[in-house]
Amino acid sequence: VPVTNIGSNAVSITDANAIILGASSVGTGSLNINGVGITQTGGITQAPGADLANINGGAGVIDVTSTNNLTGGLSLTNSGVANDMALTNSGDTTLQTISSGGTVTLISDEAILDGNGDTNNITAVSLVTTSVDGFGRGDAIETVLDASFNFTDTGTLGVQLINSSNGILKISGTTANGDITILQSGVDGTLTLGDTSTADDVVSGGGEINLTADKITSAGGNVNSGNGLITLNVNSPKVDIDLGK
């Protein structure tokens, strides 16, 4: 289904079944896509300064990984632990509300930004991100992640995340030279470096690394900031930091 529209007119597509999007170009109006599973064979281009893009995949996957240029805020929703969500975008990627029953993968060739202030941005089992100009640049991305966060940022503007789920969040990833700031704020929240199968590290090529939780442990991963400062904070009254030898 290719879509073409200009001006400030809203665009809405709804189907009771799966939707396969073709190459599409729309104006500055809102974009609403609703189906049971949403994929694409061509990218979506919004005009600069567009309104919200709202993509609802129902009980199906969302896989919109063609060359998209979505310039407005993004809200994506699907359900079911087997139904992952993946988005590739050119330019800054501004998050409103994302909710998935599975793993969310976000790739941006610029920054991934918080678009709704202190309101939660992402609810999912796991989150995988790739960015160039920062993840949560200047305003941390708020999440409720039940399992893991893996990040790659190839610029100098770093990674900022606040996760409010309870229990363990496994973290791993790299920045080229940006600071890494991760807060696990849930009850009995634990940050675990890597996992027993991959032993992934948290690495900055020279920026500071700041990790805060009730407990900080390692499942084989390490913290490496090059020549940058490393700060590990445990929330009072918790006192556990266990990184092994």
Side-chain angles (χ1 to χ4, degrees):
V1 180
V3 177
T4 301
N5 176 266
I6 60 174
S8 60
N9 300 301
V11 173
S12 295
I13 303 170
T14 300
D15 197 302
N17 302 298
I19 294 175
I20 302 174
L21 299 168
S24 300
S25 177
V26 297
T28 58
S30 61
L31 174 64
N32 298 281
I33 304 170
N34 298 277
V36 183
I38 297 171
T39 59
Q40 62 183 171
T41 59
I44 303 170
T45 299
Q46 284 182 305
D51 288 340
L52 179 71
N54 185 359
I55 301 174
N56 188 336
V61 300
I62 294 177
D63 188 346
V64 283
T65 52
S66 295
T67 304
N68 299 295
N69 186 6
L70 300 169
T71 62
L74 296 174
S75 287
L76 294 84
T77 304
N78 73 351
S79 60
V81 294
N83 295 321
D84 294 332
M85 179 186 296
L87 168 76
T88 299
N89 194 45
S90 298
D92 287 344
T93 300
T94 304
L95 307 181
Q96 294 290 329
T97 301
I98 293 178
S99 180
S100 176
T103 295
V104 172
T105 300
L106 302 175
I107 299 174
S108 175
D109 69 2
E110 292 189 23
I112 298 175
L113 302 173
D114 181 358
N116 62 2
D118 292 333
T119 303
N120 185 61
N121 298 111
I122 303 172
T123 301
V125 174
S126 295
L127 174 64
V128 179
T129 66
T130 300
S131 54
V132 174
D133 288 329
F135 174 85
R137 185 181 68 199
D139 187 2
I141 303 295
E142 289 88 14
T143 62
V144 179
L145 304 174
D146 293 330
S148 64
F149 172 47
N150 176 268
F151 57 89
T152 302
D153 186 81
T154 58
T156 62
L157 298 175
V159 169
Q160 294 178 271
L161 178 130
I162 299 173
N163 189 62
S164 60
S165 65
N166 302 328
I168 297 172
L169 179 69
K170 297 176 181 178
I171 58 173
S172 59
T174 63
T175 65
N177 195 28
D179 295 346
I180 299 170
T181 302
I182 299 174
L183 167 62
Q184 171 75 330
S185 64
V187 176
D188 292 328
T190 298
L191 288 177
T192 296
L193 305 175
D195 62 49
T196 54
S197 61
T198 61
D200 290 328
D201 299 333
V202 174
V203 178
S204 170
E208 296 183 4
I209 297 177
N210 298 278
L211 306 179
T212 301
D214 285 346
K215 185 176 181 180
I216 300 174
T217 66
S218 174
N222 301 296
V223 181
N224 186 342
S225 66
N227 60 357
L229 179 68
I230 296 174
T231 303
L232 306 180
N233 302 292
V234 290
N235 298 324
S236 179
K238 307 296 183 181
V239 294
D240 294 327
I241 298 178
D242 181 6
L243 300 182
K245 296 181 181 181

